Amino acid sequence: MTAEVQDGPRRPPVVVVVTLLTAVLTVLLIAFAWPAARSAPRDLPVAVAGPEQAVSQVGAELQKAMPGGFEITAVADRASAVQLIENRDVYGAIVLDPAQPEVLTASAGGPAVAQILVQLASKLSPDHPAKVTDVVPLPAEDPRGTGLAAGALPLVIGGILAAVMLTRFIRSGAKRMVGAVGFAVAGGLALGAVLQFWLGSFEGNYFANSGVIALSIAATSLTLLGLEWLFGMAGLGAGAAVMMLLGNPLSGLTSAPEMLPSGWGAFGQLLPPGAAGTALRSVSFFDGAGSGSAFVVLSAWFALGLFLCGLGAMRSQRVVHGRHEATPATV
């Protein structure tokens, strides 16, 4: 009688592996392509300056051109419209001056939105082309804002990478937390330097911009560390999937939260990548205007990460204490 030789753990059939890989690939495609493919204005805040009747007429024309695309705020004059733009209350404005209509944009707040407003300007006044003024422009070295848009992915990957590497190589939970914060600070300074001094994608205070990046990385990495501490690699994997598959494509950095599919843009602002993108635009180009809610979100995720890590530490202490009690005393 011959004994069967076991080759180790039983492996799943090829068809199961292929099906799983196909599902993962499909999810990745949907996560990254769907928001971009369905990008369109949805209640974009825009100001219109001019007489009440003319403002109502323009609002009706905008509604006809793009139903549900704009949320109109009527203002008295150009100065009021500029103030709303600089406060990040609106993305742009239309000034109804009979002598010279004008469209005010803020490419630093969203290049895609600025392009839409410029296109609409030619349709609203075909006989008298409107003057276009970029109130808050992007830096001359990065006029399309590609550096900031591309920076969303490194922010997410940085937080995930920190959690994975610290979990893999550092045994002490406390040292992991210290390492996550240290990496966040170092990573924030490094990424901020590249984006501001090399690519020219940022303006404003370098340390303020780097601080936003550091807070985003710390919020992500600490949350993932806490999930791994409590639920193992399954918790880390689930958290990383949320940050990568939802947080990155729904951040709105390549367009604007109001241009993402209905409801998803608002949801993306509740995740670290979306909040970090909004905070970075505000701090770098608008002197911090409109960044309050973004900092609340980032701080909440940072606090959640600390809380989860605290629960993980308490759980580890109970396990160690239980093992000591279960160990019989030697005489």
Side-chain angles (χ1 to χ4, degrees), residues 48-55 74-78 94-97:
V48 180
E52 183 178 349
Q53 184 176 358
V55 171
V75 295
D77 50 32
R78 184 184 188 277
I94 299 173
V95 181
L96 302 175
D97 187 338

Side-chain angles (χ1 to χ4, degrees), residues 68-204:
F70 300 94
E71 180 182 298
I72 304 299
T73 299
V75 295
D77 50 32
R78 184 184 188 277
S80 300
V82 170
Q83 187 66 44
L84 288 179
I85 293 173
E86 292 177 343
N87 290 340
R88 298 211 73 186
D89 294 321
V90 298
Y91 280 96
I94 299 173
V95 181
L96 302 175
D97 187 338
Q100 178 63 73
E102 184 179 14
V103 173
L104 306 177
T105 64
S107 59
V113 178
Q115 292 176 3
I116 291 174
L117 292 177
V118 171
Q119 293 170 2
L120 283 176
S122 60
K123 297 179 181 179
L124 291 175
S125 182
D127 298 329
H128 303 282
K131 173 185 177 182
V132 177
T133 303
D134 197 344
V135 177
V136 188
L138 284 162
E141 295 182 62
D142 188 10
R144 293 181 296 176
T146 52
L148 179 57
L153 188 58
L155 286 181
V156 178
I157 293 179
I160 296 175
L161 182 64
V164 171
M165 297 294 285
L166 290 169
T167 300
R168 175 70 176 82
F169 295 109
I170 306 298
R171 292 181 59 86
S172 169
K175 290 182 179 179
R176 290 179 183 176
M177 295 174 64
V178 172
V181 174
F183 171 73
V185 173
L189 292 172
L191 294 182
V194 170
L195 288 167
Q196 186 155 352
F197 301 127
W198 183 21
L199 300 180
S201 300
F202 284 168
E203 293 181 348

Side-chain angles (χ1 to χ4, degrees), residues 122-306:
S122 60
K123 297 179 181 179
L124 291 175
S125 182
D127 298 329
H128 303 282
K131 173 185 177 182
V132 177
T133 303
D134 197 344
V135 177
V136 188
L138 284 162
E141 295 182 62
D142 188 10
R144 293 181 296 176
T146 52
L148 179 57
L153 188 58
L155 286 181
V156 178
I157 293 179
I160 296 175
L161 182 64
V164 171
M165 297 294 285
L166 290 169
T167 300
R168 175 70 176 82
F169 295 109
I170 306 298
R171 292 181 59 86
S172 169
K175 290 182 179 179
R176 290 179 183 176
M177 295 174 64
V178 172
V181 174
F183 171 73
V185 173
L189 292 172
L191 294 182
V194 170
L195 288 167
Q196 186 155 352
F197 301 127
W198 183 21
L199 300 180
S201 300
F202 284 168
E203 293 181 348
N205 185 280
Y206 161 67
F207 292 104
N209 296 328
S210 299
V212 175
I213 298 174
L215 180 57
S216 174
I217 295 175
T220 301
S221 59
L222 284 174
T223 300
L224 296 182
L225 281 176
L227 290 173
E228 193 280 333
W229 211 335
L230 290 172
F231 307 107
M233 291 305 296
L236 176 58
V242 169
M243 298 297 179
M244 178 66 72
L245 300 181
L246 292 178
N248 185 64
L250 298 180
S251 65
L253 270 174
T254 57
S255 55
E258 292 85 356
M259 292 188 66
L260 296 174
S262 182
W264 288 102
F267 176 70
Q269 293 300 297
L270 298 177
L271 298 174
T278 297
L280 280 171
R281 288 194 188 279
S282 296
V283 170
S284 182
F285 304 111
F286 295 87
D287 294 326
S291 63
S293 59
F295 278 116
V296 169
V297 171
L298 289 174
S299 299
W301 279 98
F302 183 83
L304 175 63
L306 292 177

